[in-house]
Amino acid sequence: MAETEKNVYSGDAEADVSSGDFQIVHSDSNLKRRLGGKEVQLFAIGGAIGTSVFLTMGTWLPRGGPAGLFIGYTLWCLNVWCVNECHAEMAVYAPVPSCFITFTSYWVDEALAFAQSWAFFLCQALLVPAEITALHVMISFWTDKMPIEATVIICLALYAALNCIDAELFGIAEFYLSIGKVFLIFLLFSFTFFTMVGCNPIGDAYGFRYWNTPGPFAEYLSTGSLGAFWGTVSCMSLASFAVCGPEYISSVVGETKSPRRLLPSCYSSFKWRLLFFFIGSALAIGIVIPYDDPSLAAFISGDASGGGTSKASPYTIAMERMHIPGLPHLINAIMLTSVFSCGNGVLFAASRALFVMGQYGRAPKIFAKTTKRGIPVYAVGMCILLGLLAMMGVSDASYTVLKYFIDFCTICTQFNYSCVCITYAHFYWNLKKQGISRDSLPYKARFQPYASYIGMTCGTLAMLFLGFDIIKPFDIKWFFIDYTLLGVFPILVILVKVIKKTRYVKIGTADLGLGGMVKTIDDYEHTMVPHPEGWVERFFSGMWEWKDLLRLVNKRKD
């Protein structure tokens, strides 16, 4: 930082900078920095990509049509990219545990951070039973004799083992499970491309036929252009739940080795994950089957068995139409590991959020305790107990229970995204007021502060429009499911302000050094000696470049 610029560091902090075991003593954190770039990158993929990409997206195709689905996901991905840029600049600057909530507390208001922490924790914790429920539904592809109690207990036992033994074991598990997801996505994309140009058993080069017949847009809630508009809005509503990722990277920055070196590539490559995994999937699903496909309609209505499994996937329906046997079983098997990986990832994120909440008094202090290896075992145990909510599927249809969890988690996610963007706007203007150039930061986000304004606006609109389709006819049950938390969070902010007498941090007065933690991390980065990485590790950590491939090819020639 130039001498003419104000020093952002303040306060005192200590650090144990022994390689790989760095901890922020100032913040009483016992979490160890054991995760490498590839684990962080694939954790972000593992936590974000599940049934929403492979299966649930297809159930919204009849609402928006291929164009409505594609446009809805594209527009929402642009918004999530804006949120990612807010995460990136702040998290790389100060990679502390549950960083985005800590930033809200230091730079905006502890009351808002309190509500945000509970919103993020509830979202991740409720996703654990949601993913277990989805996994049980997918097992029914092969048999309906598996009791849901057995599925829940087995999954939770495996999650406990992966999350309680060592962070490195968790990272290794996510590494291999996420590779399976990437393989499946490229397999489905390859299937879409080769079959649409005629490489299929029936020789049907269908191309973009279904964009013409029955058409690019479906009609939802109304007819004509208004119906097409509501269909696209409905697809955006689904995307507001399905498209995620930056919060998972930010959840593990406090356990990442050499974060200032690894995190920029993890955040900057996020746009490619949005493009290929989410927008690419929305495009492919609209190509392989028409939105009025009778088989898809039967699965959605419940007239055909197998809804929620790969039988209801648009890809499987297309495979059966083209007489391609065997692949549906492979797809369901990989999707099963994909859903398991999602549950494992969100449990990790939830436990770390609860750990920091315990540190700052937003939850009982017992959740801030860790083992000697830095595992917040009590926080993990609470998240495991909340996973038992998947037992709701015993008395209610599993697919209906899954929808309950999806709507609750959508509200929590968008509230958290809005808070992140509000916090970034405060960070941006505090830098301005305190005379600190953003060029001096380790990562400078693009399109700021406008990206933060877009993110907070779209997050608010997403919460308001979540239940737009239950107004007519009015459904009281879904009204409370969709909008209860929308009222709870503002009330929680007000209650905390009154009880704890928290104060809003005025622009220009914020402690950008986080009580000395930023200085501690800066010292650690100068001391930390990075471990050497091969080209495979660099590829999966997001640091691989084309010149590495050329170097590898030339080496093999020699």
Side-chain angles (χ1 to χ4, degrees):
M1 185 178 297
E3 293 182 0
T4 56
E5 296 169 350
K6 187 175 179 179
N7 193 334
V8 299
Y9 307 135
S10 64
D12 298 316
E14 301 174 5
D16 172 9
V17 292
S18 55
S19 180
D21 286 341
F22 168 72
Q23 54 182 304
I24 302 171
V25 180
H26 176 87
S27 64
D28 300 322
S29 174
N30 295 318
L31 300 180
K32 310 293 184 180
R33 291 194 182 270
R34 299 183 184 277
L35 300 179
K38 64 180 185 297
E39 287 91 355
V40 176
Q41 192 76 277
L42 288 171
F43 170 60
I45 296 173
I49 300 175
T51 53
S52 58
V53 171
F54 301 120
L55 184 63
T56 312
M57 192 183 293
T59 64
W60 257 251
L61 180 62
R63 293 191 180 189
L69 187 68
F70 178 74
I71 293 172
Y73 265 78
T74 300
L75 291 176
W76 193 257
C77 282
L78 289 173
N79 172 63
V80 177
W81 175 80
C82 291
V83 177
N84 175 74
E85 291 301 290
C86 295
H87 272 279
E89 185 170 308
M90 296 187 295
V92 176
Y93 164 70
V96 298
S98 284
C99 59
F100 51 92
I101 298 170
T102 302
F103 300 153
T104 304
S105 177
Y106 271 87
W107 301 336
V108 185
D109 194 315
E110 169 59 23
L112 183 62
F114 189 97
Q116 182 188 8
S117 63
W118 277 100
F120 180 73
F121 168 70
L122 285 175
C123 176
Q124 303 308 308
L126 290 177
L127 278 173
V128 176
E131 296 297 345
I132 295 175
T133 302
L135 187 144
H136 179 75
V137 172
M138 299 193 69
I139 291 175
S140 65
F141 176 82
W142 294 296
T143 178
D144 57 1
K145 299 185 183 301
M146 180 80 163
I148 190 170
E149 297 93 333
T151 304
V152 173
I153 296 301
I154 292 172
C155 282
L156 291 179
L158 291 173
Y159 290 158
L162 292 172
N163 282 268
C164 288
I165 297 176
D166 195 296
E168 279 189 301
L169 177 61
F170 165 83
I172 292 170
E174 281 302 300
F175 177 78
Y176 289 106
L177 288 170
S178 297
I179 287 176
K181 293 185 182 187
V182 176
F183 169 76
L184 178 58
I185 285 183
F186 279 98
L187 174 65
L188 295 177
F189 284 176
S190 298
F191 164 80
T192 302
F193 174 76
F194 286 110
T195 57
M196 71 184 291
V197 297
C199 298
N200 57 70
I202 62 176
D204 180 18
Y206 56 92
F208 284 88
R209 175 190 303 161
Y210 304 128
W211 282 63
N212 295 316
T213 306
F217 292 97
E219 296 176 346
Y220 183 61
L221 298 180
S222 186
T223 58
S225 57
L226 183 60
F229 170 77
W230 288 124
T232 303
V233 170
S234 180
C235 292
M236 287 183 66
S237 179
L238 172 66
S240 68
F241 164 76
V243 182
C244 54
E247 66 271 34
Y248 292 112
I249 302 176
S250 297
S251 295
V252 297
V253 297
E255 295 174 77
T256 303
K257 301 174 183 177
S258 192
R260 295 258 178 86
R261 183 177 67 90
L262 296 175
L263 291 177
S265 61
C266 293
Y267 282 111
S268 62
S269 63
F270 181 69
K271 59 181 177 292
W272 303 117
R273 294 200 293 277
L274 289 174
L275 178 63
F276 288 108
F277 297 147
F278 295 107
I279 298 176
S281 294
L283 177 62
I285 283 175
I287 290 175
V288 295
I289 64 170
Y291 70 75
D292 61 353
D293 186 275
S295 297
L296 180 61
F299 284 122
I300 294 173
S301 64
D303 295 336
S305 62
T309 72
S310 68
K311 288 182 182 178
S313 169
Y315 300 107
T316 303
I317 295 172
M319 290 171 190
E320 291 179 350
R321 187 186 71 240
M322 290 179 278
H323 310 297
I324 303 176
L327 271 181
H329 291 275
L330 174 63
I331 290 173
N332 199 74
I334 301 178
M335 285 173 62
L336 202 66
T337 63
S338 170
V339 175
F340 178 83
S341 171
C342 280
N344 186 41
V346 295
L347 189 142
F348 185 94
S351 64
R352 270 46 181 184
L354 187 57
F355 165 79
V356 175
M357 289 163 65
Q359 282 189 310
Y360 285 88
R362 301 175 193 132
K365 287 289 185 182
I366 190 173
F367 296 123
K369 294 184 178 181
T370 66
T371 65
K372 291 181 179 179
R373 296 190 64 82
I375 304 297
V377 65
Y378 293 104
V380 172
M382 176 54 69
C383 296
I384 293 291
L385 289 176
L386 289 174
L388 293 173
L389 287 172
M391 294 288 189
M392 290 170 60
V394 174
S395 58
D396 203 347
S398 295
Y399 201 63
T400 302
V401 171
L402 183 59
K403 290 180 181 178
Y404 297 158
F405 289 129
I406 286 175
D407 280 17
F408 276 126
C409 293
T410 302
I411 285 289
C412 292
T413 297
Q414 296 316 316
F415 180 77
N416 179 59
Y417 279 0
S418 298
C419 289
V420 168
C421 294
I422 291 170
T423 300
Y424 178 83
H426 282 73
F427 175 65
Y428 178 91
W429 290 109
N430 270 292
L431 289 173
K432 286 276 189 182
K433 285 281 187 178
Q434 297 183 31
I436 300 168
S437 171
R438 291 175 63 229
D439 293 329
S440 67
L441 302 180
Y443 183 95
K444 182 180 179 181
R446 290 156 292 182
F447 199 52
Q448 294 290 11
Y450 309 106
S452 65
Y453 301 156
I454 293 172
M456 70 178 76
T457 301
C458 291
T460 303
L461 291 176
M463 290 187 282
L464 294 174
F465 276 88
L466 178 62
F468 77 93
D469 53 354
I470 56 97
I471 304 300
K472 186 179 180 181
F474 184 72
D475 190 318
I476 187 67
K477 180 184 77 172
W478 284 102
F479 176 81
F480 279 103
I481 290 173
D482 289 343
Y483 291 111
T484 297
L485 290 179
L486 186 59
V488 167
F489 291 138
I491 293 173
L492 186 59
V493 172
I494 295 171
L495 287 176
V496 173
K497 282 195 71 67
V498 172
I499 296 172
K500 291 194 172 186
K501 296 180 173 58
T502 66
R503 293 185 177 182
Y504 169 73
V505 181
K506 294 181 180 179
I507 299 295
T509 65
D511 175 13
L512 297 178
L514 301 179
M517 287 188 282
V518 176
K519 180 63 168 64
T520 303
I521 294 165
D522 192 54
D523 292 341
Y524 162 73
E525 286 285 353
H526 282 93
T527 308
M528 176 67 180
V529 178
H531 296 288
E533 292 184 319
W535 75 271
V536 175
E537 287 77 11
R538 293 188 67 192
F539 175 82
F540 284 109
S541 68
M543 300 182 67
W544 180 83
E545 299 176 355
W546 286 108
K547 62 183 180 182
D548 295 308
L549 177 60
L550 295 175
R551 191 181 299 114
L552 180 66
V553 171
N554 292 331
K555 183 177 180 181
R556 289 182 179 273
K557 286 182 179 180
D558 296 338

